[in-house]
Each structure stands twice: as C-alpha cells, then as structure tokens.
Amino acid sequence: MNASLLNPFTVTHPTAVQTSLVSGASFARFDPTGKFVAAGRSDGSAAIWDLDTRAVIRWCEGHVKAVTSIDWSRNSRYVLTSSKDWNVIIWDLASPVDPPQRYNTIRFDAPVVSAYFHPRNSRIVLALLSTGEAYVVDSRKEHRARVELCEALSEDDDDERARSIMTTARFDPSGRHVFVGTSTGNVLVFNSRMKIMVARHRIAGAGSMKSLEFAKVGRRFATNSSDRTIRQFILPTYPSPIVGAECAILETELEPTHRFNDPISKVSWHAMSYSPDGEWLAGGAADPATHKIYIWDISNDGQFATALDGGREPLIDIHWHPQASRLASTTNQGSVLIWHCPSPERWGAFAGGFEEADENVIYEEGESEFDIENEVELAMRKKLQEDEAVDILNGVDDLVDHKMNGVAGDPGDEDLEWADDEPDDDWQGWRLKVIMVDDDDAY
C-alpha cells in the first residue's frame, strides 16, 4: 500500500494477519530496515525472505544441526546464525552468490543457545552456550580476544551461588553493557569494554530467567521468567569503570513498574517484543492449543489492550517490526505469520482540495470555475514555473532512520569509542545483489 495514503495517527498495534510465509521456521527476525525477514530452521539452514515479493532471496546453509538464533547487523549487511553444532556463522549478504559468503565462523566447545552482534560493531559478538557460559568474542585486529563473562563473588557468597547458570544474555541498545539472566532469578550487568561485572539485580520471586527484552527508546527492559510473569523495569545508570581501579558492584533489588500475566489460564510465555516506540509490549503465549499474542499498552499504565488469535497452530516465537506496526509470529508447524494494522486509505493525499464523500452528493459548480482563461497568461505562468531551480542532486530525504542503534553518547565516551574503533564494512547504502536463477533452479 502507498505509504502516503496511510494516516499515521491511526496506526496502533497489529490486529490482523497480512500474509503467511511457509518456511519450516523455528523463529523469525526482521532486519533493521523491515524489508527482510530471516527465518531459522531446524535443519541447520536459514532463509532470508523479501517481504515485498514474499519470496526467499537467500539461503544460509552452513550448519549441520538446528539454528538456535539469528541476528542482523545495524545496516543489514551481515547476518549471524548460531546453532547446536557449536558454531556461530556470520554471513555477508553483499556477496553476489547464494548461499552468501561466510564472513567469519566462530567455534565454541558446546552448543550455542544464542548469539548477538554488538549494536555498533558487528565484529563484536556475544554468545551464550548451553553449559551456562557467556562469551564476548572480539575479532578486530587490535582487540582480538575471547573473554568469558564471570560473575563476581563477594566473601559472603558460597560455592552454591558460584554455580548459578546463565540462561539468557543480551546487549543493551547502546552496547555499553551486557545483561545476563541466571537460573537463580538474578540479572547481572557487565561492562562491554572491560568485561567486568558492574551490577547484580535481584528480582524477588522471578525464578529462572528465560529471556530479556529492551525497549529501543528510554531505559525500559522486560524479563520473562519461569514464574509465568513478564516484568518491566526502569534501568538505573551505571558508572563506567576505570582501567586499573577497583569497580564497586551495584547490588540492588529491582522493583517492577508493571507485571504482565494471564490471571485466568496462568499461561507461560515463549517470547516477548517491544514496539519501535516502546509504547506497546507483545507477549507470545505458550498455549499448546491456540496461537495467542497478548498486547499491553505501556503508555496507558500497562493496561491490557487485546489478544490476537492466529489459529490452532501453537505459537513458539514473536518479533515486532523495527519501524512499523507489524509483527512476525512463528507457529510450531514452521509458518511465519506477518501481522499488520489495516488502515483506511486517504485518497485526499492525491490533491490538496480533494474531499472524500461517504455517499453521492450533487456537485455545485462555482461561478468562475470553468471560465476560459487568457492563453497568454497561462503560457507566461508555465514559463515562470519552468524557470524555477530544481534540486536534482540531493534528492528526497529517506524516511528510514539509519542512525546507529542506541544513543549517540558524548564524544569522550570511552565505551562507545572502544566499540567504534576498527569499524566493520556494514556501511549505509550497500545494495543486495540480484541473483537470476533458471526456472529449473527456482526456489
């Protein structure tokens, strides 16, 4: 649909299924531009779908076991896939071949549960292993390292606490910190540059952490835990550690601003995702009989907004579009449902004086509406319009915001300067190569 015909004030949250992609997927992730969807499969491959043509444009085939996570670089050039085969593969979509060229392969000593790019540099990767260990892998020449994130223990801690298992790990939107959820209901915060722990947050009654999700704006983040409750928190500020100085660990118990659950069915949650503006939160219910998506209105004190019904195929994953009111939900049969918010078209956008009428009306002609004008005056007016200067170099501003994820920060911010050192090749304006295939080789 033409974007100029949409009324931006009517766009809220998705309400209906727009299309279904039969891809055999276990989960799906939108790219930062929202034009593509990457679907991870249990056979070790990943498919890149074009939402405009609804066709697969790339196959990432390199794993021998199931793909466990997918992540995109900030400008969508690189795609990361992790797998149970102990490998993390980074694919370069700018390569003119299919499958895409492998940009890098990182091998670990255990199956990889999840992996993510650093929001500002795709050469920095965070990986979580099935053994409960989290690593930050830096492939830059001057910073090449593989560092395990270890929980700092105080003198009062016993060995039982030292054995707490890391169950989920994510970069925050700025990339300054790594947040790690544990099996004991704690959230550990590490500095990405120094790889040291700066905070430990206790969440009362949460149980084992299943996943973490951050809003792209503000300092809100949500946790999904084994007690079948989604909690939203406001993050405190963390001081940047100084090299060579002892770092004090912030020990606090976080109080949630909102708790989200289903008080009737007491259902647990497979996944959750924030809207681009952070005003809506979607939770995918782990209901074995239906495909349910619950949506809460964060801007209205976290009130329950609606429950979307996607049919009888149970839901296993959801992801919100990075720029629009759209959702991608994955069924246990491998289909990816693309949800959208249908909006009435504004045909008045074609002409300034155009008015829409709900029913036929009798038109009243103006007094001088169809009078014959002087042809000399018309010719002079057209000539003046042709003589006006037209800017053909700068073009039209792109509606897509290509800023780096997270905040810009101060020029002297050491954490962001460290991340921006030796930048990757994921520049703005790169183009995906079109690959022509014969009819016999079509997907």
Side-chain angles (χ1 to χ4, degrees):
M1 183 181 294
N2 193 335
S4 63
L5 301 180
L6 297 179
N7 187 350
F9 298 104
T10 63
V11 177
T12 54
H13 56 78
T15 57
V17 176
Q18 182 184 30
T19 186
S20 176
L21 309 177
V22 181
S23 59
S26 302
F27 54 90
R29 292 291 180 269
F30 288 106
D31 80 310
T33 65
K35 298 178 181 178
F36 308 109
V37 168
R41 296 159 52 97
S42 59
D43 61 358
S45 64
I48 310 296
W49 289 79
D50 187 340
L51 291 180
D52 291 335
T53 61
R54 299 175 188 176
V56 177
I57 57 175
R58 292 291 189 276
W59 284 97
C60 300
E61 299 173 333
H63 297 287
V64 296
K65 291 187 178 181
V67 175
T68 56
S69 70
I70 288 179
D71 195 24
W72 294 82
S73 61
R74 63 185 183 277
N75 290 317
S76 306
R77 173 172 176 175
Y78 298 107
V79 176
L80 175 151
T81 58
S82 65
S83 173
K84 294 180 179 179
D85 64 359
W86 304 10
N87 290 330
V88 172
I89 300 178
I90 300 175
W91 308 87
D92 185 3
L93 295 185
S95 58
V97 293
D98 187 26
Q101 180 181 354
R102 291 196 190 193
Y103 180 76
N104 191 12
T105 301
I106 306 172
R107 184 169 179 80
F108 293 92
D109 297 330
V112 184
V113 175
S114 63
Y116 298 95
F117 285 124
H118 190 282
R120 303 178 70 93
N121 198 326
S122 62
R123 296 183 179 179
I124 306 172
V125 173
L126 170 66
L128 177 68
L129 307 185
S130 61
T131 55
E133 302 167 334
Y135 289 88
V136 174
V137 181
D138 196 335
S139 59
R140 296 175 295 178
K141 293 182 179 179
E142 297 296 330
H143 305 273
R144 190 178 301 274
R146 179 182 299 201
V147 181
E148 181 182 358
L149 301 179
C150 299
E151 180 180 2
L153 301 176
S154 62
E155 296 179 355
D156 299 334
D157 293 329
D158 53 16
D159 294 338
E160 190 67 25
R161 182 172 183 176
R163 289 194 293 269
S164 62
I165 299 174
M166 297 181 179
T167 55
T168 179
R170 292 288 300 271
F171 283 111
D172 71 342
S174 68
R176 290 189 178 94
H177 300 97
V178 175
F179 284 72
V180 177
T182 68
S183 58
T184 57
N186 292 332
V187 175
L188 312 179
V189 184
F190 295 84
N191 180 267
S192 301
R193 173 173 56 93
M194 300 291 294
K195 318 297 189 300
I196 60 177
M197 194 172 79
V198 297
R200 181 190 291 115
H201 300 304
R202 296 180 299 276
I203 301 177
S208 178
M209 292 293 166
K210 298 172 62 177
S211 60
L212 304 174
E213 186 70 20
F214 293 89
K216 296 180 178 60
V217 293
R219 298 190 58 82
R220 295 194 299 268
F221 89 109
T223 62
N224 178 21
S225 52
S226 59
D227 66 343
R228 303 185 178 189
T229 300
I230 296 175
R231 295 173 174 84
Q232 179 182 267
F233 304 89
I234 302 297
L235 292 175
T237 57
Y238 306 104
S240 181
I242 302 175
V243 179
E246 185 177 355
C247 179
I249 299 176
L250 178 64
E251 298 268 2
T252 59
E253 181 173 334
L254 289 182
E255 287 294 332
T257 59
H258 300 94
R259 289 182 173 90
F260 308 105
N261 53 30
D262 189 339
I264 299 176
S265 62
K266 303 293 184 181
V267 68
S268 58
W269 309 98
H270 274 313
M272 56 187 174
S273 185
Y274 275 104
S275 64
D277 55 8
E279 294 185 356
W280 304 91
L281 177 65
D287 192 327
T290 59
H291 189 103
K292 287 285 188 180
I293 302 175
Y294 292 71
I295 297 181
W296 296 276
D297 187 356
I298 305 299
S299 60
N300 190 21
D301 198 25
Q303 294 293 322
F304 174 73
T306 186
L308 306 180
D309 189 354
R312 296 184 178 180
E313 295 183 2
L315 177 146
I316 57 177
D317 188 74
I318 60 170
H319 187 235
W320 205 298
H321 193 281
Q323 298 174 7
S325 179
R326 304 177 75 183
L327 269 171
S329 63
T330 309
T331 70
N332 67 342
Q333 300 298 317
S335 298
V336 179
L337 306 182
I338 305 298
W339 299 77
H340 74 138
C341 180
S343 299
E345 298 179 341
R346 296 185 301 113
W347 296 103
F350 285 117
F354 188 90
E355 296 182 2
E356 298 185 23
D358 296 332
E359 56 185 19
N360 294 333
V361 295
I362 300 176
Y363 180 74
E364 297 181 1
E365 180 182 339
E367 181 178 355
S368 61
E369 184 173 358
F370 296 103
D371 292 350
I372 300 176
E373 297 187 27
N374 192 336
E375 296 183 359
V376 178
E377 293 181 359
L378 288 175
M380 183 63 67
R381 192 183 309 162
K382 291 181 179 179
K383 184 178 180 182
L384 292 176
Q385 293 177 352
E386 293 175 355
D387 292 340
E388 292 180 359
V390 179
D391 186 3
I392 62 174
L393 297 178
N394 296 329
V396 181
D397 293 337
D398 194 351
L399 297 178
V400 179
D401 188 4
H402 292 289
K403 293 187 296 184
M404 285 186 177
N405 294 335
V407 296
D410 299 328
D413 194 317
E414 294 182 358
D415 294 328
L416 300 187
E417 289 179 354
W418 166 82
D420 294 338
D421 189 23
E422 296 186 38
D424 53 22
D425 296 329
D426 186 26
W427 58 78
Q428 302 175 9
W430 74 277
R431 292 292 181 267
L432 185 68
K433 303 292 184 182
V434 178
I435 299 178
M436 304 299 296
V437 297
D438 298 332
D439 293 341
D440 297 339
D441 300 331
Y443 299 121

